[in-house]
Amino acid sequence: MDTTVASDHLAPRPGTGTATGPGTAVATSEQLIGTLPPDFRWGAATSAYQIEGAVAEDGRTPSIWDTFCRVPGAIDNGENGDTACDHYHRVSEDVALMKRLGLDAYRFSISWPRVQPGGRGPANERGLDFYERLVDALLEAGVEPWPTLFHWDLPQELEDAGGWPNRETAYRFADYAELVYRRLGDRVKVWTTLNEPSVVTTHGYLSGVHAPGRTSLADAVAAAHHQMLGHGLVGQRLRALAAEAGNPFELAVTLNLGPATPESDAPEDHEAVRRADGFNNRLYMDPLWFKRYPADVVEDLAARDVRIPVQDGDLELIGAPIDALGVNFYFGQQLSGRAEDGSTVDEGGVPVSRHVLQGLPRTAMGWEIMPDEFAELLTRVGREYPGVPVYVTENGAAFADEPDEKGYVHDVDRAAYIADHVAAVATARAAGTDIRGYFVWSLFDNFEWAYGYDKRFGIVRVDFETQQRTPKHSAEWYTETIRRVRG
Ligand code: FCB
C-alpha cells in the first residue's frame, strides 16, 4: 500500500470541512459540531496490547500477538508490544492526563492472557488487580470506564487449540468474561464484547497480515461465526450474573464498518461492492439485528465450498438485544470488479474486487479521507439497523508528525480530520441516527499492529525512548471542543 501523504494536504485548517449540514446552507465542521447536544459523550480509545507493555509481568502469558511479533517480517522494523507505552506502570499518570483533557469516557481493552493466563481455568488475581486499579482511578477522576473484552490478543494456548475457527473458543470467551465481570461488574456500566471481528476474520485468518497469520477462507468464516457466538454467549452469561447481583449494565459490540462504492456503473463493479459490503459489514450486522446471515453472502461462500458453521440456537444467542452499537470508521473503498488486465476472476476463479483510489487526500496509512462517506454510513446504520444507540468507538488518523524540540506536535492535519469526522456524526444525527458519543483513536501514539510504532494515531505524543507524554495540538483542540459543546 502506498503510504505517502500528498504535501498539499499536510496543513489544512482544522474544522473547515464542508459537509452538508441540517438546513439548506453548507455548514462548516465547527458549526455542525456545535449542533451536538451538551450530553454527547466524548472519549478516547486504546487497546491492551497496543499500550500496556509488561507482557511477562504478574503472571501474564503470551497472546497470539506476542507470538506473531516474533515471526520474521511480520511487523515493520521487527517491533513488538513488549514495552509499548508502558501504560501498565503508568496508570495514575495516564488517568490524570485523561482528566486534564476533559474526557467523559475512556475506552480500553482487557488482556485475556493477563486475566486468565492460558485462556482457561481460574483468574489471575494480579492481572485483575491492574484493571481494578485502572477502573477505580478512572471513576475517581470522573472518567467513565468503557472496557472491551476482546481486542485481538487471544491467549496463545487457545490458538494452539484451534483459535477462533474452533467453536470451543467461544465458550472459553464467556468463562473469561465472567472472571472479569465478577471483579468489576459493580463498577463498569457498559461492557463491550468484541472489537472489530471482521478484522480478525480477514486479517488474522484470511490474508494473514495479523496474528495468528492464517490464510484460509474456511477458517476465516468459522472465526467470524465463533466470534459472534462468543459475543452472544458473553451477553447471556453477563446478563445472568447481573440479574443475580441486581446490577444492570449495557451490552455493546464494536464493529468496523467500511462503506464501499462502485468505480463505475458496470454490473461487475456493483457486484464487487455487494460482496464487500456483505462480507465485511452485513455478515456481522444481520445476525445481530435479524438473527440470520445474509443469503447472498451464504451463496457467495457456497460457490467457494465454504459454509458458515451455524448450529441450532446460535442465531438466537447472537441476535439477543444489545444496548449499544460501537462503530469504528477509518475509510471507505471504491471498488472495481475487474483486475487491471480487465479480467473479472482471478487465477483461482474467484471474482475480482480491486480497490481503486479516488484521488482524495490520504493519511500516513494511505487511507483516503472521506468524512462524507462516514456521514452516509452512519445514516445508513440508523435507517437499516434501527433501534440501538450508536457510539463511534474509534475514528482518527495517522500523520507524519514532526515534533518540535519540546516534543510538541502542531498536528493541524489530525485536528482537521477529527473535526470533519465529528461533523459527519452531527450530520448523521440530524438525519435521524441516534449517535450518542465519539471516541477518538487514539489517546496515545502506540503499537499499530503490523506497522509497529511508525504510524502515530495519538492526540498525545509518546516519546518511546523516554515514555514522555505530550498532548498535541489535536488534543488541545479536542479539549476545547468538548468544553464548547458541553456549554
Ligand atoms: C482499528 C483497530 C485499532 C487501531 C486502528 C488504527 O482497526 O481497532 O486497534 O489499530 O484500527
Side-chain angles (χ1 to χ4, degrees):
M1 190 184 289
D2 181 356
T3 54
T4 51
V5 180
S7 57
D8 54 337
H9 299 119
L10 280 174
R13 284 192 296 130
T16 50
T18 52
T20 308
T24 49
V26 171
T28 67
S29 289
E30 294 291 357
Q31 285 167 334
L32 283 164
I33 293 169
T35 68
L36 292 169
D39 64 352
F40 190 77
R41 302 255 266 292
W42 299 89
T46 64
S47 89
Y49 190 68
Q50 295 180 276
I51 67 161
E52 285 178 2
V55 291
E57 268 178 64
D58 294 337
R60 181 189 181 278
T61 51
S63 77
I64 55 173
W65 273 94
D66 297 275
T67 308
F68 192 64
C69 288
R70 264 74 201 170
V71 175
I75 313 292
D76 286 358
N77 306 316
E79 288 167 336
N80 59 57
D82 285 4
T83 308
C85 304
D86 196 33
H87 171 70
Y88 192 76
H89 299 118
R90 290 164 198 268
V91 163
S92 355
E93 177 195 342
D94 289 345
V95 171
L97 176 58
M98 296 176 215
K99 183 177 180 176
R100 270 207 315 282
L101 294 178
L103 304 182
D104 294 315
Y106 172 52
R107 176 175 181 255
F108 58 98
S109 80
I110 292 175
S111 159
W112 187 344
R114 199 181 284 295
V115 162
Q116 191 190 37
R120 52 181 86 232
N124 171 27
E125 300 301 331
R126 288 176 299 166
L128 284 173
D129 289 346
F130 166 70
Y131 294 106
E132 184 162 61
R133 278 201 303 281
L134 172 61
V135 165
D136 286 346
L138 288 166
L139 291 171
E140 172 77 36
V143 179
E144 186 184 1
W146 194 287
T148 299
L149 288 161
F150 181 71
H151 196 130
W152 306 356
D153 46 356
L154 189 72
Q156 181 60 43
E157 290 80 353
L158 294 187
E159 173 58 22
D160 297 341
W164 282 111
N166 178 0
R167 189 176 169 92
E168 231 350 77
T169 301
Y171 296 92
R172 300 281 72 78
F173 186 41
D175 289 349
Y176 146 70
E178 173 166 351
L179 300 178
V180 181
Y181 181 87
R182 285 195 181 278
R183 179 71 83 91
L184 298 173
D186 57 340
R187 281 155 283 177
V188 167
K189 294 300 161 210
V190 184
W191 288 101
T192 299
T193 54
L194 305 168
N195 175 70
E196 300 190 357
S198 76
V199 174
V200 172
T201 302
T202 56
H203 291 37
Y205 290 96
L206 185 57
S207 71
V209 297
H210 277 187
R214 283 156 71 175
T215 52
S216 145
L217 179 63
D219 286 348
V221 167
H225 177 63
H226 295 144
Q227 288 178 87
M228 295 311 284
L229 177 62
H231 157 80
L233 289 165
V234 169
Q236 183 189 48
R237 184 78 63 91
L238 299 196
R239 298 261 199 228
L241 291 166
E244 242 170 61
N247 228 340
F249 71 93
E250 291 179 18
L251 182 70
V253 61
T254 277
L255 304 181
N256 178 34
L257 298 177
T261 48
E263 189 194 13
S264 77
D265 252 341
E268 64 273 14
D269 291 359
H270 282 279
E271 266 294 286
V273 166
R274 179 195 61 71
R275 285 194 307 272
D277 184 49
F279 196 65
N280 298 322
N281 303 330
R282 290 183 285 113
L283 184 61
Y284 304 90
M285 292 294 276
D286 286 16
L288 284 168
W289 257 257
F290 312 126
K291 301 186 178 173
R292 57 170 155 71
Y293 281 111
D296 60 317
V297 178
V298 171
E299 247 177 65
D300 290 346
L301 292 170
R304 297 176 67 184
D305 290 328
V306 172
R307 206 192 123 252
I308 306 175
V310 184
Q311 296 190 9
D312 281 354
D314 288 2
L315 288 161
E316 276 305 311
L317 274 170
I318 298 171
I322 54 174
D323 305 299
L325 173 72
V327 173
N328 293 356
F329 173 86
Y330 291 92
F331 61 107
Q333 291 194 328
Q334 175 178 258
L335 295 177
S336 163
R338 285 186 186 273
E340 267 163 21
D341 68 5
S343 50
T344 54
V345 288
D346 67 15
E347 322 76 67
V350 176
V352 169
S353 291
R354 185 167 56 93
H355 179 197
V356 183
L357 290 174
Q358 296 175 53
L360 299 169
R362 282 183 279 161
T363 70
M365 299 293 281
W367 298 343
E368 290 190 302
I369 301 175
M370 31 183 80
D372 293 349
E373 278 82 346
F374 186 34
E376 274 165 37
L377 168 79
L378 291 169
T379 306
R380 173 187 173 197
V381 168
R383 193 178 56 234
E384 294 180 19
Y385 301 95
V388 175
V390 174
Y391 292 84
V392 175
T393 39
E394 282 183 32
N395 172 248
F399 286 107
D401 289 346
E402 282 172 30
D404 67 14
E405 61 293 344
K406 291 201 181 111
Y408 180 76
V409 179
H410 194 65
D411 57 342
V412 282
D413 41 15
R414 186 174 289 104
Y417 178 101
I418 299 168
D420 292 346
H421 287 75
V422 175
V425 169
T427 301
R429 273 180 60 95
T433 305
D434 180 11
I435 311 167
R436 301 194 183 172
Y438 175 94
F439 292 76
V440 66
W441 183 273
S442 176
L443 178 61
F444 297 127
D445 293 337
N446 60 42
F447 177 74
E448 179 45 36
W449 309 114
Y451 293 93
Y453 293 94
D454 197 39
K455 300 287 181 260
R456 291 174 177 268
F457 276 89
I459 57 170
V460 173
R461 177 173 175 83
V462 176
D463 177 332
F464 292 107
E465 299 288 310
T466 62
Q467 291 296 344
Q468 193 185 327
R469 280 88 160 117
T470 312
K472 303 177 191 177
H473 162 77
S474 54
E476 292 165 1
W477 175 86
Y478 201 55
T479 300
E480 196 36 55
T481 300
I482 298 171
R483 232 181 255 139
R484 178 164 73 92
V485 174
R486 264 194 210 131

